[in-house]
Amino acid sequence: MTYVLDDPAKLRSLDPQDMVGLVVRLGDLLEEGFELGRRLDASGWERPGHVLVLGMGGSGIGGDLLRALLYERAPFAVTVVKDYVPPAWVGPGTRVLACSYSGNTEETLAAYEAASSAGAQCVVVSSGGQLVERAAAHGTPTVRIPGGLPPRAALGLLLGPMLGVADRAGWVEGLGAGVAEAARLLRELASEWGPGRPAAENPAKELARALVGHVPVVYAASRLAEPAALRWKTQLNENSKVYATWNVFPELNHNETVGWALAGQPEALLQVVVLRDPQDPPRLVRRVQVTREISLGAAAGYHEVLARGSHPLARLLSLVLFGDLVSVYLAYLNEVDPTPVAVIDELKRRLADA
Ligand code: F6R
């Protein structure tokens, strides 16, 4: 009998809306989004006092990725707010990227209105909904992205425009080259790790198999990989419908490591996945090793995933793609459809009624 992850007919029946097909388009969607963002006139955005990204869930993670990318490169701070209320410092010097795929997320709508009223200059990234309507009413420039996808599968379309604006505004050198490399690499990796590559030679399928029946604990070995670890956790939650947790070195050494002390307790349920970057500083590599020796022995398994590529954007997104695929494969192994997120839909519905 063909192994489930290598059986295209079985996968089609488990994934009627083709989440896996969307996941492997990350590189194409990134390029498309980047081009849409580059069309925007970015005058006034050259020297922001502060950049604020607003967005929830699948629309907020793009902000986390942007922040990690600019951390060591931009001469200003990037803050990501996933809330109704923007910080009190928001004012005319702030440049705001308000992202909501549907355009109807109440937290983002409220934070956008408040930032706008505080005098911040905003750009909206959305496929439609109330956010686009309100942007039109306020005269806010808008990057209108194609609709019809689950927001988390539109990551390339949400991150791409922000990178396009960043490139037009000249925030950092070489972003266009980074996007081109990332898109090329992601297409290559999509075939290396994608559904057509048999499990015996596919590390993403292999890792998904190890995660069945366990709680994934995703650790970023360093700051660059931090948003990738968060993305892994949220994709495991939404696609595989499993509980998962995440953290980042070195901070986790100052608290979470102690929580691994009780051998024979729930740790036996945990599978640790460490997201590594070939350019991780030696000090952090050593930290990961020592942590593994001291604390992680009780885990059911320990895995490392190494970023690929050269530009930081390519390295970061290679980790994202690997995790997205693992989450879809784990959904298949759990026999759940990766696309519906009934709990999120119900929450939004009930809150809208209230
Ligand atoms: C659904 C998903 C969610 C949404 C979030 C915000 O695929 O990933 O996390 O992204 O509920 O909705 P939007 O993105 O429409 O603002």
Side-chain angles (χ1 to χ4, degrees):
M1 208 176 81
T2 318
Y3 175 54
V4 55
L5 293 183
D6 293 338
D7 180 344
K10 177 80 179 159
L11 298 193
R12 267 193 304 277
S13 75
L14 288 168
D15 189 3
Q17 291 167 82
D18 196 24
M19 177 60 85
V20 78
L22 296 175
V23 164
V24 297
R25 284 178 60 207
L26 178 60
D28 294 341
L29 296 178
L30 178 76
E31 269 184 337
E32 191 179 336
F34 183 68
E35 286 314 318
L36 292 173
R38 278 210 34 92
R39 282 187 210 153
L40 216 73
D41 174 11
S43 45
W45 284 64
E46 297 83 355
R47 287 176 206 289
H50 204 132
V51 169
L52 175 68
V53 184
L54 306 174
M56 306 302 297
S59 291
I61 190 75
D64 298 316
L65 291 161
L66 182 76
R67 182 166 56 103
L69 199 64
L70 297 185
Y71 188 93
E72 288 183 38
R73 292 169 189 83
F76 51 82
V78 178
T79 301
V80 184
V81 164
K82 302 177 180 183
D83 196 81
Y84 294 87
V85 182
W89 47 253
V90 170
T94 318
R95 297 294 171 267
V96 176
L97 293 154
C99 305
S100 168
Y101 186 70
S102 64
N104 292 322
T105 299
E106 61 177 43
E107 299 92 319
T108 313
L109 287 166
Y112 160 68
E113 290 286 358
S116 221
S117 307
Q121 225 174 297
C122 304
V123 159
V124 154
V125 180
S126 180
S127 72
Q130 290 179 55
L131 189 57
V132 168
E133 282 168 27
R134 292 191 197 183
H138 290 307
T140 300
T142 298
V143 183
R144 189 81 184 257
I145 53 178
L149 306 181
R152 62 191 183 283
L155 175 62
L157 287 173
L158 289 154
L159 172 63
M162 294 196 273
L163 297 173
V165 170
D167 190 48
R168 266 301 277 276
W171 288 350
V172 284
E173 289 290 300
L175 261 186
V179 169
E181 189 213 322
R184 218 173 28 245
L185 176 71
L186 291 168
R187 280 189 280 268
E188 214 177 284
L189 296 176
S191 75
E192 203 175 303
W193 301 332
R197 183 65 61 103
E201 46 193 76
N202 187 328
K205 288 184 178 178
E206 204 182 309
L207 180 55
R209 180 143 59 169
L211 297 183
V212 174
H214 291 93
V215 176
V217 175
V218 188
Y219 286 160
S222 62
R223 189 181 50 249
L224 182 76
E226 183 174 352
L230 171 60
R231 170 74 173 184
W232 273 61
K233 175 222 170 309
T234 58
Q235 289 289 75
L236 288 162
N237 296 149
E238 291 184 70
N239 292 341
S240 330
K241 279 80 177 165
V242 297
Y243 184 81
T245 173
W246 74 289
N247 212 328
V248 58
F249 285 93
E251 172 61 13
L252 71 87
N253 280 150
H254 299 274
N255 34 64
E256 182 156 331
T257 326
V258 185
W260 281 90
L262 219 56
Q265 293 298 304
E267 292 90 330
L269 282 176
L270 307 180
Q271 289 276 350
V272 177
V273 181
V274 178
L275 306 186
R276 294 264 338 275
D277 176 11
Q279 295 191 30
D280 283 336
R283 193 82 195 136
L284 281 167
V285 177
R286 182 76 192 126
R287 258 184 196 280
V288 174
Q289 272 169 0
V290 174
T291 305
R292 185 179 178 188
E293 286 161 21
I294 294 182
S295 295
L296 306 179
Y302 175 92
H303 316 264
E304 287 193 1
V305 177
L306 196 61
R308 300 271 290 271
S310 145
H311 191 279
L313 178 67
R315 303 199 319 264
L316 194 45
L317 291 180
S318 72
L319 292 173
V320 166
L321 178 68
F322 195 104
D324 283 10
L325 285 166
V326 168
S327 72
V328 175
Y329 297 147
L330 183 58
Y332 298 156
L333 293 170
N334 286 342
E335 304 226 332
V336 294
D337 180 346
T339 300
V341 281
V343 176
I344 298 179
D345 297 340
E346 188 186 339
L347 262 161
K348 287 185 179 178
R349 212 169 26 245
R350 287 176 60 171
L351 285 166
D353 292 346

